DNA sequence: CTGTATTTGATTGTATACAATTCAATTTTA
DNA sequence: TAAAATTGAATTGTATACAATCAAATACAG
């Protein structure tokens, strides 16, 4: 049974999956001094921008659900980077905000993106094209 | 502290990470009738092509290590799709091969790629460009 | 030939991921 | 306004991922 569409090299999903994993793995050495994993890092990226965010908002932005975020946020709290407090107006909502330590971590993180960019062997226009196409895929998936 | 390079929207890694996860998630409904997860599916893709493969070869092709593959291959064996046998010439090597059932599963899988392609909202040239750029990233990472 | 080095999978430990379910708080509705 | 529906996190269960380590088999140097 000859099936070219089932060849690994003919899949678009596979380089996407592999590149994502490999890139994430390359982040580890740069994030270790910050005591962050990659997923914890992108949560901190949101908080450095927003200051305050509840779990569902984080989930929407990062494409993560509460089953991933709840334990992860507890770890960030244990590290002293964030606070978790129930919102007064709606006790169902858990508000996540930075501690002073979490805020000051931003300074140490400032060099991470440049370090990582140097790992990725793309020209500026190529990176831009890739970025655009990936968001097109993501947006196209939004409504199933 | 204003830090544009730390904005989520300025990261290339993030849409890569998110798109990969979302695409993988979209595979589930199509793979469920085959009783395969996404990772199990890409292992089967290799085996449908190669017939026979040892663990380290699978790992190289799929960017996975033995910590992921060993339990996964045991599950595929438990489902009856593959056989795991030590190679006679080198007892360290575990040879993975298809059973008749695993081979015949290929027929049921033949329609999966087309179904998935319809989920991805890219034109043919866009998909090709994305593919090329992703492999360029992967190849650029090969040697750290 | 033998002791050391290397190779190969397996194991262990930590950290995601996500579906499905639960539970409590809030909102809607009959 | 009391019951129903909805919402938002947390929990449970299953499946990856990968670093680090281990043990067995093999290769290889002297």
């Amino acid at each position: 049974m000859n099936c070219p569409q089932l060849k690994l090299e003919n899949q678009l999903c596979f380089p996407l999956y592999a590149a994502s994993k490999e890139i994430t793995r390359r982040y580890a050495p740069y994030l270790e001094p910050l005591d962050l994993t990659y997923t914890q890092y992108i949560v901190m990226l949101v908080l450095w921008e927003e200051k305050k965010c509840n779990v569902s908002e984080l989930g929407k932005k990062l494409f993560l659900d509460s089953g991933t975020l709840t334990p992860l946020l507890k770890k960030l709290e244990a590290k002293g980077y964030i606070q978790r407090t129930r919102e007064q107006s709606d006790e169902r909502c858990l508000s996540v905000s930075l501690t002073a330590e979490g805020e000051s971590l931003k300074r140490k993180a400032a060099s991470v993106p440049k370090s990582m960019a140097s790992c990725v062997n793309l020209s500026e226009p190529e990176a831009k094209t890739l970025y655009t196409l990936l968001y097109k895929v993501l947006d196209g998936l939004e409504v199933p």
Side-chain angles (χ1 to χ4, degrees), chain A residues 63-97:
Chain A
F63 296 82
L64 293 170
D65 77 356
S66 64
T68 303
L69 285 172
T70 296
L72 187 149
L73 293 171
K74 285 180 179 172
K75 278 172 207 161
L76 286 178
E77 187 178 43
K79 290 181 207 276
Y81 294 158
I82 66 167
Q83 282 159 347
R84 295 162 69 249
T85 47
R86 289 288 162 184
E87 229 142 89
Q88 296 191 346
S89 60
D90 188 339
E91 289 280 340
R92 288 171 305 182
C93 295
L94 186 85
S95 177
V96 181
S97 58

Side-chain angles (χ1 to χ4, degrees), chain A residues 17 20 25 55 69 115 141:
Chain A
Y17 162 83
S20 170
R25 212 163 61 77
V55 175
L69 285 172
S115 302
L141 291 173

Side-chain angles (χ1 to χ4, degrees), chain A residues 67-141:
Chain A
T68 303
L69 285 172
T70 296
L72 187 149
L73 293 171
K74 285 180 179 172
K75 278 172 207 161
L76 286 178
E77 187 178 43
K79 290 181 207 276
Y81 294 158
I82 66 167
Q83 282 159 347
R84 295 162 69 249
T85 47
R86 289 288 162 184
E87 229 142 89
Q88 296 191 346
S89 60
D90 188 339
E91 289 280 340
R92 288 171 305 182
C93 295
L94 186 85
S95 177
V96 181
S97 58
L98 291 169
T99 61
E101 196 183 349
E103 177 61 42
S104 76
L105 195 66
K106 188 175 180 178
R107 225 175 290 279
K108 285 176 74 179
S111 64
V112 172
K114 182 163 268 182
S115 302
M116 273 311 297
S118 72
C119 290
V120 177
N121 211 18
L122 293 184
S123 68
E124 195 56 48
E126 283 174 331
K128 196 150 198 130
T129 304
L130 179 54
Y131 178 95
T132 304
L133 287 173
L134 289 170
Y135 268 109
K136 185 158 186 184
V137 169
L138 266 180
D139 294 342
L141 291 173

